[in-house]
Amino acid sequence: MNAPSRQRGVALITAILITALVSSVALSLAWDNALDMRRTMTLLYRDQAVQVAIGAESWIQSILRDDLAETDTDHLGEIWASELPGLPVQSDVVQGELFGSIEDLQGRFNVNNLIDQNGDVDELALEQFQRLLIALELDPRIAGIAADWLDANQEAGFPDGAEDAIYTGFIPAYRTPNLAITNATELAALEGVDKASFDILAPHIVALPGRTGINVNTATAAVLQSLDENLSTSDVESLISEREDGGFADLQSTFSTLVAPEILPQLEETTSYFQLRLVVQIATVRIIYFSTLQRGPRGDVVPILRSLGTT
Ligand SMILES: [Ca+2]
Ligand SMILES: [Ca+2]
């Protein structure tokens, strides 16, 4: 090969290399660009889903406001208690669907009832929590351990208790809050509570601000069972069938023979706290939106805790 044709060969190879390099850079740019687009779309859809959820939440607030104006009690036969059917979300820019449900949170055991206003353990609530755990076939020791989590002092309850001395030995170490909590999922961190136990307990507990009564019209079977140690499973079954048509006709006469006199004042047939659970799907993005709604005596309904979840 003479010198000029060798030079042409080198030029050709260089040209091929440059073309290959440029195509690979272009391809990588296009790929990055597609990923960026995708990320941006996902963020946009997510934002839109949250906005849709907030809109639906205000609609639910009006349902709960109307309910208070129209009815004196709260029970599972009311409009708010039925599942929200799937609703289309349709506009020029947003296409999707939402559905959800409202739950009466006073149908659950409020773990903040475990302490009184001075931060001392409330023995009645502690015993009720023990009965709830037994009804769910869980370890009743969890009640005393939960009470220590909330109570103001650092002295572990006896025989069941756990304070900082236990938790600071964990890896990672943590400490007890020693005050009322805002989310019952904190109990998953208790000494002796594993995931399986917590999953069983979770639908029956709640952390509401301050001390609250129990709405017997909506209480879960296990919570009804926890009201007295002498209640049998068949007592609970007949209570549930008695309340089926619009709640208990006469709460006092039904329960006065079933529960201890000191439990009776805690039983209610109205509710101030509801949990809204909304599933919003916008294009490929789905969110689950939780909102705790507090309804005041004049019908004002305000969200006091919002979160995004997975279940
Ligand atoms: Ca009502
Ligand atoms: Ca404590």
Side-chain angles (χ1 to χ4, degrees):
M1 210 183 269
N2 57 27
S5 75
R6 209 166 38 236
Q7 279 169 6
R8 276 202 300 278
V10 170
L12 187 65
I13 290 169
T14 309
I16 292 170
L17 275 176
I18 288 172
T19 312
L21 198 66
V22 168
S23 336
S24 120
V25 168
L27 196 69
S28 149
L29 280 175
W31 173 245
D32 285 353
N33 191 35
L35 278 184
D36 280 347
M37 284 259 292
R38 186 78 188 184
R39 266 188 222 111
T40 309
M41 291 306 283
T42 303
L43 287 174
L44 262 176
Y45 289 148
R46 194 179 155 84
D47 271 359
Q48 286 168 341
V50 170
Q51 294 305 319
V52 168
I54 291 172
E57 181 188 65
S58 69
W59 170 52
I60 299 302
Q61 284 171 267
S62 70
I63 290 179
L64 292 173
R65 197 162 44 234
D66 293 347
D67 171 76
L68 188 79
E70 289 158 14
T71 59
D72 294 332
T73 64
D74 298 312
H75 56 82
L76 297 173
E78 294 194 295
I79 292 169
W80 61 264
S82 52
E83 291 271 314
L84 303 174
L87 290 171
V89 178
Q90 268 172 336
S91 75
D92 293 344
V93 285
V94 186
Q95 307 263 306
E97 184 190 32
L98 86 129
F99 56 92
S101 55
I102 304 170
E103 189 191 343
D104 174 0
L105 289 175
Q106 285 183 249
R108 301 178 178 208
F109 175 79
N110 178 8
V111 293
N112 287 328
N113 282 0
L114 286 169
I115 50 169
D116 63 21
Q117 58 275 25
N118 302 319
D120 294 327
V121 176
D122 180 302
E123 288 300 324
L124 269 182
L126 176 63
E127 285 166 16
Q128 194 202 339
F129 195 23
Q130 285 167 342
R131 293 194 294 269
L132 176 65
L133 291 158
I134 291 167
L136 294 167
E137 295 179 351
L138 296 171
D139 185 352
R141 291 191 319 124
I142 293 170
I145 294 168
D148 267 345
W149 186 259
L150 298 161
D151 75 5
N153 66 55
Q154 274 295 342
E155 293 126 41
F158 183 81
D160 313 322
E163 292 280 3
D164 283 356
I166 300 278
Y167 298 109
T168 50
F170 284 6
I171 300 172
Y174 48 92
R175 301 182 62 189
T176 54
N178 289 331
L179 43 79
I181 57 177
T182 54
N183 197 321
T185 53
E186 274 195 33
L187 297 201
L190 292 184
E191 149 78 356
V193 175
D194 56 15
K195 184 174 185 308
S197 309
F198 186 75
D199 286 348
I200 294 169
L201 182 59
H204 306 277
I205 56 168
V206 66
L208 294 174
R211 299 166 61 79
T212 55
I214 290 169
N215 184 348
V216 284
N217 284 337
T218 61
T220 67
V223 169
L224 286 176
Q225 181 95 58
S226 76
L227 295 178
D228 194 277
E229 63 180 343
N230 294 319
L231 280 177
S232 66
T233 319
S234 66
D235 287 334
V236 172
E237 280 168 11
S238 57
L239 282 173
I240 285 174
S241 65
E242 188 181 332
R243 77 181 186 190
E244 233 164 42
D245 298 320
F248 293 102
D250 186 343
L251 184 153
Q252 292 293 326
S253 72
T254 300
F255 283 90
S256 59
T257 53
L258 291 175
V259 304
E262 60 271 26
I263 292 286
L264 213 49
Q266 298 177 29
L267 308 186
E268 297 176 359
E269 46 194 348
T270 57
T271 282
S272 306
Y273 297 95
F274 297 87
Q275 178 173 262
L276 170 64
R277 176 183 182 273
L278 280 174
V279 180
V280 184
Q281 174 104 27
I282 300 290
T284 50
V285 174
R286 168 179 285 223
I287 63 159
I288 304 179
Y289 177 94
F290 291 96
S291 174
T292 303
L293 300 168
Q294 180 176 19
R295 185 172 66 180
R298 287 190 304 279
D300 44 316
V301 180
V302 284
I304 56 168
L305 188 69
R306 289 171 172 155
S307 62
L308 292 172
T310 51
T311 52

